[in-house]
Amino acid sequence: MRLVLVGPPGAGKGTQAQFLAAHYSIPHISTGDIFRANLKASTPLGLQAKGYMDAGQLVPDEVTNEMVKDRLTHDDTANGFLLDGFPRNTVQAEVLRAFLAEKRTPLDAVLELAIENEIIIKRLSSRLTCKNCGAPASPEATACPSCGGELYQREDDKEEVIAKRLAVYEEQTAPIVHFYRTEGLLITISADGEVSEITDRAITALSRVHG
Ligand code: AMP
């Protein structure tokens, strides 16, 4: 299964990606997580991305595209992958299409998590993230539900940055929904409700394209 997850920040992509990747036994590739890991390790890539991330802006395409293409050549992607947070604009979508076409491994589906802005703002401004594994956690959690690691509030989950991230989504990422609809790959589900409910909804919708 070669799958892309799209949806605004706070739609629950990271959470659903973890369950779906486990369900289909494919790697979960989150560009945000890769950038954050590089930032934590103070690599040149991390330092390059930091200013954009802290401001809620997209890291330049040249940097991001090369990073993803490199990741998609790793052996663990042989049976598929789940991309979370990439592509984020139509240039990235075109680069991905060309890259996969060359390898004759096109996408099977693009799953859109649809949700209202009001719910997003509430979710993001109260969400915590694991310092160790990057998993999201609810505000009541005292340790990471996945690995027990320490929790913190992401710099870009502060209220003033959320508004910027939503504007960037509308302007730059929302057009890829149209791109994938035209390609016949788009499946849209509601991302409102309990986590397990949304996972079931996703698996049911995906079973129509990938038995
Ligand atoms: P995320 O965890 O997906 O919300 O990503 C956090 C931040 O990482 C974004 O606000 C961007 O600054 C950067 N980022 C993640 N994915 C991409 C991408 N595909 N293109 C450009 N920047 C990205």
Side-chain angles (χ1 to χ4, degrees), residues 112-161:
E112 180 192 17
L113 298 182
I115 188 128
E116 285 168 26
N117 278 4
E118 269 172 43
I119 305 177
I120 292 174
I121 293 168
K122 219 168 120 199
R123 272 190 193 174
L124 283 186
S125 56
S126 63
R127 134 175 118 173
L128 297 172
T129 299
C130 176
K131 264 190 187 168
N132 180 44
C133 74
S138 65
E140 302 82 38
T142 51
C144 173
S146 301
C147 75
E150 193 185 334
L151 300 171
Y152 76 112
Q153 183 181 39
R154 272 168 50 174
E155 205 49 49
D156 59 351
D157 280 347
K158 308 226 158 115
E159 229 164 301
E160 53 287 8
V161 188

Side-chain angles (χ1 to χ4, degrees), residues 75-94:
D75 289 347
D76 65 345
T77 62
N79 292 322
F81 52 78
L82 191 165
L83 279 173
D84 158 19
F86 183 94
R88 275 290 229 282
N89 60 31
T90 47
V91 172
Q92 294 181 3
E94 288 286 3

Side-chain angles (χ1 to χ4, degrees), residues 61 87-96 172-173 175-177 179:
D61 288 340
R88 275 290 229 282
N89 60 31
T90 47
V91 172
Q92 294 181 3
E94 288 286 3
V95 166
L96 179 66
Q172 305 196 41
T173 310
I176 71 168
V177 169
F179 173 96

Side-chain angles (χ1 to χ4, degrees), residues 48-117:
Q48 221 174 344
K50 181 176 170 31
Y52 298 100
M53 292 177 76
D54 285 350
Q57 290 169 349
L58 296 186
V59 177
D61 288 340
E62 311 81 74
V63 177
T64 311
N65 290 336
E66 285 314 306
M67 179 178 92
V68 172
K69 283 201 262 182
D70 175 67
R71 180 64 185 83
L72 291 178
T73 57
H74 293 196
D75 289 347
D76 65 345
T77 62
N79 292 322
F81 52 78
L82 191 165
L83 279 173
D84 158 19
F86 183 94
R88 275 290 229 282
N89 60 31
T90 47
V91 172
Q92 294 181 3
E94 288 286 3
V95 166
L96 179 66
R97 177 170 61 181
F99 179 75
L100 295 177
E102 202 175 307
K103 299 205 309 168
R104 301 195 192 286
T105 54
L107 291 174
D108 293 304
V110 174
L111 183 70
E112 180 192 17
L113 298 182
I115 188 128
E116 285 168 26
N117 278 4

